[in-house]
Amino acid sequence: MTSTALTIMMIVGAYLAGSISSAVLVCKMRGLPDPRTVGSGNPGATNVLRIGGASSAVLVLFFDMLKGAAPAYLAFRLGVDPIALGLIAIAACLGHIFPIFFGFKGGKGVATAFGAMAPIGHYLALFLMLTWAAIVLITRYSSLAAICTALLAPVFTWWIDDRFTIPVAMLSTLIVIRHRDNIRRLLKGEEAKLSRKRRNKTS
C-alpha cells in the first residue's frame, strides 16, 4: 500500500471515528436530554456537565479525546509524515464537528483536537491540561480556556518537538474558528461562565 493510500484510508477512518458523538450516546445511556436540544446546544463535555453533572462530563471528555488520540497515535506509529498526520487529526475533529451519524450537528472539537495532540508527547499533554485547567479556575470561562490553550499549543509543540508545529497549528486554527461566536460574546461580556447543574434525583 502506498503512503498516499494509507493516508487517505486513515483520514476516512479518523472522520468516521470522530463522527461517533460521545455526548449524545452518554446522555442517552444515562437518561439525560439530548445535549443538542438543551443548554448551549453543543454536544460536548461542557454542556453535558451543565445538564448531567461531572461523572457524565468526564465520560464524554475521555471518549472525545480518545477519538482524536487513537487515529493520531496510530498514524504516528506508522510513520506518517507530520503534514499528513495533521490532516488525519483534522479529519477526526471534523467528524466530531460534522458527524455523519448524527445529522452533521456536532460539537466544537476541542477535546478531540487536544486528544490528537497528546501522542506528540507526555509533556505536551500535561501543558495543555494545566493551561486549560488554570484558565478555567481563574476565569470560569470554558471557551476562553479552550481558545487560549489552542493558541499556546503550537508554542508548546515547537518547544517539545518542532516537527509537529504545523499540524498542531492547523488544529489550533480550527479550534479558534469554531469559537468565533464565543469570542464575540466574550468581547461583549455576554459569555456564560462554567457551572454545574446537579441532577434532580427525584425526577
Side-chain angles (χ1 to χ4, degrees):
M1 181 182 297
T2 65
S3 59
T4 302
L6 175 63
T7 299
I8 292 173
M9 285 183 60
M10 296 201 69
I11 287 173
V12 173
Y15 171 77
L16 293 176
S19 290
I20 302 171
S21 178
S22 307
V24 173
L25 294 178
V26 167
C27 286
K28 185 172 291 188
M29 288 188 298
R30 294 203 157 194
L32 298 169
D34 189 323
R36 297 170 295 180
T37 62
V38 295
S40 67
N42 180 55
T46 301
N47 197 32
V48 172
L49 175 66
R50 295 188 181 104
I51 64 178
S55 62
S56 297
V58 167
L59 282 174
V60 173
L61 182 65
F62 172 77
F63 287 113
D64 279 352
M65 291 185 71
L66 185 63
K67 292 190 304 186
Y73 181 72
L74 180 59
F76 179 78
R77 295 295 295 177
L78 290 174
V80 172
D81 70 82
I83 299 300
L85 179 58
L87 294 175
I88 291 166
I90 286 175
C93 294
L94 289 176
H96 179 84
I97 296 168
F98 305 109
I100 192 172
F101 305 127
F102 293 88
F104 298 98
K105 184 178 181 181
K108 297 285 177 67
V110 176
T112 304
F114 289 167
M117 296 177 192
I120 293 172
H122 298 305
Y123 283 115
L124 178 59
L126 178 63
F127 289 159
L128 293 175
M129 288 188 292
L130 289 177
T131 301
W132 185 88
I135 296 174
V136 165
L137 288 173
I138 293 169
T139 68
R140 288 180 55 212
Y141 287 118
S142 175
S143 58
L144 180 61
I147 294 164
C148 292
T149 304
L151 293 173
L152 287 171
V155 179
F156 295 150
T157 306
W158 174 81
W159 181 61
I160 294 168
D161 191 337
D162 60 4
R163 293 176 301 163
F164 299 101
T165 304
I166 292 177
V168 167
M170 292 162 65
L171 284 170
S172 296
T173 301
L174 180 62
I175 291 173
V176 173
I177 290 172
R178 284 292 291 169
H179 282 81
R180 58 190 180 278
D181 292 336
N182 302 87
I183 293 172
R184 294 190 191 101
R185 288 195 294 269
L186 284 165
L187 292 173
K188 294 178 180 179
E190 299 173 351
E191 181 74 339
K193 291 189 174 183
L194 188 65
S195 62
R196 176 180 172 223
K197 179 179 178 181
R198 295 180 179 273
R199 290 184 65 186
N200 185 350
K201 295 182 179 180
T202 62
S203 61

